């Protein structure tokens, strides 16, 4: 089954490019560390998912590139073509001359309806190239105007045109400060709209990735490229082929569907966070060895202590003891403990069959209304990923994003109370009422995640 | 000859002069003949003629000029009312022509002075025309404000009358004061002559190019000063012209920096002013560039943003600067700056990878800051001094369409603006109480 990626705006296009790069270098790497047969079926599964080969000599990404200004797309297309390993379809992109100006309303209410037909035609064509369409993966930032505003609009259109396909929105959470001044407004509008039409939102926070670049990857002068490469690596670690528990000896053919089934049991909860270990500079890899129990122990503590990376984990945090106060479960739990709805662990590398994941099945990690057996799932493959002989990823529907969400809504609300910048939105037809609706929807989400 | 590319096309058309310049633009390939996407308007002939005889004569042709012979006599009313109605058709037609040659018209730049008659009067008339004819296109105005010891007696009148138009019809105004430009030019001059920078000063860098030698500075101080303003506009548009890892279009500037429609006056500063064009810039000097952008001496008006209240701030960086450099410097500078309570994180940033010619990196900072207020208060005082005595009023009132109410409306528009800044200033340093959030029934 195939996934069609939709790259929206500067951020979405830059990250999308890095994702295909990461997938390709993984496939072409000599670090598979598994049998030839294993590697072949892994590569085949990967190609079916992300590339179509048509008549061209290199794989062509199953992607649609959309931006409202031309510079980033033309740069992205030519960089991909130069790589020699893969490329984008020459016709599968759409851009305009003038960007959305960081204005969500401009992207959503003006550019969206105006360019709907062209964009959806491109998507339709890409979808028709798939023997079986598994769903859509959109990549966008929620801070600007094009990714966020047009992205929200396009997601709605995808939902209408493909009512039975899965839609996973990859959303870049902006730096807390310093990118775009109206980013909190744009974020509130984006998240509230995506919550209506998307199946799940997979979130990466720029601040977190920036820290990973500095502390784990030891990069001195961090560029957006560095940040995007870490994001791409993490996404690759989830979406490269794996065996699922049910799938037996075949690589899963429906990664988006499997992901939703595992992680999104209730439409009120669709915010997914991603953690990945280990992460280190390439030149340190040769001097490092990893053991599965060590990786799992760290990943599990990262989950319950809500650590964003494998450094500075708070080892004091423990799950609450169940059964003591069944009615006031949430009120009595230790403050820092991160309650989950559902978790998915992905293991890549040799001996992954021997790994004991009992610590992730502990019912005290999860909210009480879901059967713990249904709340945890694991995907595996003996094939190593991207030069790491062993690696583990965690996709979690938990309180990971509660605090960032509360921050964004709080800051946007402060600004909204002074009515600052509202005139920029009403100019394009987004009224105060629309803001209030969005605030209400997100306060509801915050409240739901809080009382887990 | 060079190649005509996207970056060049933002300010210039590429035309085949054999067809008289009216033929279709040549989009790809070699530069044929460049024509500025510009309209030159003056109500006398001297300056425009000088341009037409200067080194840039080829980028303008007679179809881009509108001139008269008699000037506006430092009278806003003559420029705005008299010449406005007289030249309206002509201006509109030439604007439309110029606009037709653009495949994506993003923005108009109006460059004028506030103190005289033509720039101030006819300039703001053109501003209104643009709003009528091209309501969707952003209007950025670069306004040179007169200094206290200006030799035009009526300059306070002209400036205040023009301010009302800017308040109502501009999307963004970048105020400039000659005094500040003059100080900056002098400082560059001193640095070069003091030898402090040794032989590493790049004489031909953009900022110093026409101030290359001490002699030219004295002979033509305006060239060096104008150069600074030109660089302001170049840096302002760099991210729209060249690629970068964090692009910033012009429409993002007003979106991020203008929280309320009338508060659209942005104080700008350029750094470094005297760049040594070393290729490898140590990080300390890079950080110095960020510090300088907030110092009083680098502002293009006489103002001190550091000790006033920020509503919003944009940093447009060019050259080899990465997001981590930006973040480090914002974190470093933030504690020393005051931001309005509802915009504590009011930073907008752009990263353009192409530096200015001859430099390794540069920074343009745009601040929406209450520090513009003293300039406006001083202007108001100087206006009132004349207005109380009704001095020179008759020169204005005898122009058709000019009434006394124009004056009272203009001054109350300015007073309102000052009051808006006052209200914001009053929130500075007070206790911060966040508005209570929406409650969800559980």
């Amino acid at each position: 089954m195939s996934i069609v990626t939709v790259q929206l705006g500067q951020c979405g296009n830059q990250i999308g490019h890095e994702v295909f790069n990461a997938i390709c270098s993984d496939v072409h790497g000599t670090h598979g560390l598994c049998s030839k047969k294993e590697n072949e079926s892994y590569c085949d599964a990967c190609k079916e998912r992300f590339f179509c080969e048509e008549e061209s000599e290199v794989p062509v990404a199953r992607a649609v590139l959309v931006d409202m200004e031309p510079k980033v797309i033309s740069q992205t297309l030519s960089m991909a073509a130069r790589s020699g390993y893969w490329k984008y379809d020459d016709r599968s992109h759409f851009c305009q001359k003038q960007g959305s100006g960081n204005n969500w309303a401009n992207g959503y209410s003006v550019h969206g309806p105006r360019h709907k037909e062209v964009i959806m035609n491109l998507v339709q064509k890409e979808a028709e190239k798939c023997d079986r369409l598994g769903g859509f993966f959109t990549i966008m930032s929620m801070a600007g105007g094009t990714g966020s505003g047009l992205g929200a609009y396009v997601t709605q259109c995808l939902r209408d045109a493909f009512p039975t396909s899965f839609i996973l929105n990859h959303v870049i959470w902006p730096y807390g400060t310093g990118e775009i001044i109206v980013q909190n407004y744009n974020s509130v509008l984006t998240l509230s709209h995506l919550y209506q039409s998307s199946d799940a939102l997979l979130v990466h926070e720029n601040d977190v990735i920036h820290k990973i670049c500095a502390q784990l990857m030891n990069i001195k002068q961090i560029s957006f490229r560095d940040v995007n490469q870490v994001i791409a690596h993490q996404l690759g670690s989830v979406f490269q082929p794996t065996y699922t528990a049910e799938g037996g000896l075949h690589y899963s053919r429906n990664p988006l569907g499997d992901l939703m089934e595992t992680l999104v049991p209730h439409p009120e909860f669709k915010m997914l966070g991603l953690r990945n270990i280990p992460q280190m500079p390439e030149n340190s890899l040769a001097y490092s060895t990893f053991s599965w129990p060590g990786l799992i122990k760290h990943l599990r503590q990262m989950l319950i202590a809500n650590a964003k990376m494998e450094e500075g984990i708070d080892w004091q945090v423990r799950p609450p003891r169940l059964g003591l106060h069944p009615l006031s479960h949430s009120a009595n739990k230790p403050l820092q403990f991160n309650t989950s709805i559902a978790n998915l662990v992905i293991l890549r590398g040799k001996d992954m069959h021997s790994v004991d994941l009992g610590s992730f099945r502990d019912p005290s990690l999860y909210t009480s209304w879901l059967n713990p057996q249904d709340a945890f799932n694991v995907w595996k493959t003996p094939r190593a990923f991207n030069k790491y002989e062993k690696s583990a990823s965690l996709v979690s529907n938990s309180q990971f994003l509660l605090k960032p969400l509360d921050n964004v809504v709080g800051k946007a609300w402060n600004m909204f109370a002074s009515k600052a910048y509202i005139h920029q939105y009403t100019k394009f037809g987004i009224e105060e009422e629309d803001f209030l609706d969005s605030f209400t929807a997100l306060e509801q989400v915050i409240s739901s995640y809080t009382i887990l | 000859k060079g190649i005509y590319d996207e970056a060049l096309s933002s300010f210039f058309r590429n035309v085949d002069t054999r067809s008289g310049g009216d033929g279709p633009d040549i989009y790809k390939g070699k530069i044929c003949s460049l024509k500025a996407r510009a309209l030159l308007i003056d109500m006398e002939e001297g300056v425009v003629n000088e341009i037409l005889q200067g080194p840039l004569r080829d980028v303008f042709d007679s179809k881009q000029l509108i001139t008269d012979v008699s000037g506006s006599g430092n009278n806003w009313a003559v420029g705005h009312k008299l010449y406005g109605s007289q030249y309206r058709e002509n201006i509109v037609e030439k604007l439309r022509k110029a606009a037709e040659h653009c495949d994506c018209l993003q923005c108009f730049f109006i460059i004028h002075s506030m103190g005289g008659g033509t720039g101030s009067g006819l300039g703001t008339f053109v501003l209104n025309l643009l709003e009528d004819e091209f309501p969707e296109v952003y209007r950025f105005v670069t306004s040179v404000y007169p200094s206290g010891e200006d030799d035009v007696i009526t300059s306070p009148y002209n400036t205040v009358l023009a301010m009302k138009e800017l308040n109502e019809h501009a999307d963004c105004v970048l105020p400039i004061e000659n005094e500040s430009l003059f100080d900056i030019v002098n400082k560059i001059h001193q640095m070069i002559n003091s030898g402090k920078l040794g032989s590493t000063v790049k004489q031909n860098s953009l900022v110093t190019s026409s101030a290359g030698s001490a002699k030219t500075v004295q002979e033509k101080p305006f060239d060096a000063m104008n150069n600074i303003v030109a660089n302001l506009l170049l840096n302002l548009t760099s991210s729209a012209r060249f690629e970068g890892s964090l692009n910033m279009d012009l429409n993002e500037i007003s979106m991020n920096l203008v929280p309320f429609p009338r508060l659209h006056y942005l104080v700008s500063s350029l750094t470094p002013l005297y760049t040594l064009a070393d290729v490898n810039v140590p990080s300390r000097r890079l950080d110095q560039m960020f510090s300088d952008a907030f110092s009083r001496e680098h502002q293009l008006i006489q103002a001190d943003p550091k000790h006033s209240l920020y509503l919003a701030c944009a940093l447009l960086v060019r050259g080899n600067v990465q997001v981590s450099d930006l973040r480090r410097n914002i974190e470093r500078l933030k504690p020393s700056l005051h931001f309005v309570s509802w915009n504590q994180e009011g930073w907008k940033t752009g990263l353009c990878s192409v530096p200015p010619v001859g430099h390794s990196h540069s920074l343009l900072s745009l601040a929406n800051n209450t520090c513009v207020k003293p300039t406006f208060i001083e202007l108001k005082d100087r206006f009132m001094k004349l207005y109380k005595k009704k001095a020179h009023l008759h020169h204005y009132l005898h122009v058709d369409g000019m009434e006394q109410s124009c004056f009272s409306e203009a001054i109350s528009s300015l007073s309102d603006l000052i009051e808006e800044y006052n209200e914001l200033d009053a929130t500075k340093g007070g206790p911060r109480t966040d508005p209570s959030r929406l409650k969800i029934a559980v």
Side-chain angles (χ1 to χ4, degrees), chain A residues 10 69 71 99 101-103 175 177-181 221-223 406 410-411 413-415 421 423-424 443, chain B residues 239 242 244-245 247 249 251 254-256 258-259 322-325 327 343 345-346 348-349 434-437:
Chain A
Q10 173 160 27
E69 57 117 24
K71 290 196 297 290
N102 293 160
N103 193 330
Y175 286 102
T177 175
E179 269 184 274
I180 292 172
I181 292 174
Q221 201 190 20
I222 300 162
S223 65
D406 191 60
K411 287 179 196 167
W413 184 252
N414 272 356
M415 198 177 258
Y421 295 101
H423 73 281
Q424 308 271 18
E443 293 285 9
Chain B
S239 192
F242 305 109
S245 61
N247 289 336
D249 272 354
N251 51 6
S254 61
M255 178 70 194
N256 283 282
V258 183
Q322 298 300 342
V323 60
S324 55
D325 302 318
R327 308 203 61 71
N343 210 6
E345 278 146 3
K348 163 72 185 169
T349 53
D434 289 346
S436 56
R437 298 257 294 263

Side-chain angles (χ1 to χ4, degrees), chain B residues 177-211:
Chain B
E177 279 180 301
N178 270 332
E179 247 172 299
S180 302
L181 297 181
F182 193 76
D183 289 349
I184 290 170
V185 168
N186 270 340
K187 213 173 304 149
I188 296 174
H189 185 129
Q190 271 169 22
M191 288 293 267
I192 293 170
N193 284 357
S194 71
K196 235 191 232 167
L197 302 173
S199 53
T200 45
V201 173
K202 190 134 175 164
Q203 295 286 336
N204 292 326
S205 78
L206 273 178
V207 167
T208 53
S209 61
S210 59

